[in-house]
Amino acid sequence: MSHVSSHPSATDPAVPTPGPSTPDQPETRTSAVLREFADYTQAQRLVDSLSDDKFPVEHLRIVGLGIRTEEQVTGRMTKGKAALAGAGGGAWFGVLFGVLIGLFAPGAIWLTVILGSVAFAAFWGAAFGFVAHWATRGKRDFASIQTLKADRYAVMVDAQYYTEARTLAEKI
């Protein structure tokens, strides 16, 4: 098992850090770093192993450290592409709306209701997509996908469970 650190380095267990509060636990909850990992899968594996050993995993958290956003540019965006994307989103909304309304339509008219809803929603989706892109006045002529990434992941444990968690984690 490869991990960044097998000992608490970011936070010493002797100096607990405040953890997030929950409705049933006060703001004074403290936690300590059990281990740090280079990727989320390794942190998840540790928590799963502790769960398999019957450790009360509700006292654990996986915390992303060194958080940043990354934006992958996927292509050029034109008013036509924006309108097409808007039409696609509108069409899906039209299908949903049409099916819900069509359920209450008598006889074969349900198909007309669905097709009409799709056409209506696709038209307005295209119009809104076109206008939204036009409103940027060329300041964002590209499409992209934005993701949130972390440099490393810490498995945090409530301070009162640190010793038990560490003992079980050393066996893994």
Side-chain angles (χ1 to χ4, degrees), residues 18-93:
S21 64
T22 60
D24 58 341
Q25 293 181 330
E27 191 70 39
T28 58
R29 182 167 115 176
T30 58
S31 59
V33 174
L34 182 59
R35 286 195 184 159
E36 285 186 16
F37 297 93
D39 65 47
Y40 179 80
T41 305
Q42 293 172 323
Q44 185 180 11
R45 194 173 303 131
L46 174 63
V47 172
D48 186 52
S49 295
L50 290 171
S51 176
D52 292 345
D53 286 339
K54 309 297 186 236
F55 180 81
V57 292
E58 61 273 11
H59 298 285
L60 298 172
R61 283 169 304 292
I62 299 175
V63 179
L65 305 170
I67 302 293
R68 67 186 186 285
T69 59
E70 284 187 18
E71 189 171 5
Q72 175 63 49
V73 177
T74 57
R76 184 169 158 66
M77 180 59 71
T78 63
K79 291 178 192 79
K81 285 183 180 178
L84 190 60
W92 277 111
F93 180 75

Side-chain angles (χ1 to χ4, degrees), residues 128-141:
F128 286 125
F130 179 88
V131 169
H133 182 68
W134 171 79
T136 65
R137 302 205 192 288
K139 290 190 171 110
R140 182 143 173 112
D141 283 342

Side-chain angles (χ1 to χ4, degrees), residues 103-159:
L103 289 174
F104 302 103
I109 198 166
W110 68 270
L111 183 59
T112 306
V113 170
I114 292 172
L115 293 176
S117 296
V118 168
F120 182 80
F123 171 79
W124 284 107
F128 286 125
F130 179 88
V131 169
H133 182 68
W134 171 79
T136 65
R137 302 205 192 288
K139 290 190 171 110
R140 182 143 173 112
D141 283 342
F142 62 91
S144 64
I145 299 171
Q146 196 172 59
T147 57
L148 191 64
K149 302 227 178 173
D151 292 329
R152 61 194 190 286
Y153 296 87
V155 175
M156 306 283 292
V157 61
D158 289 348

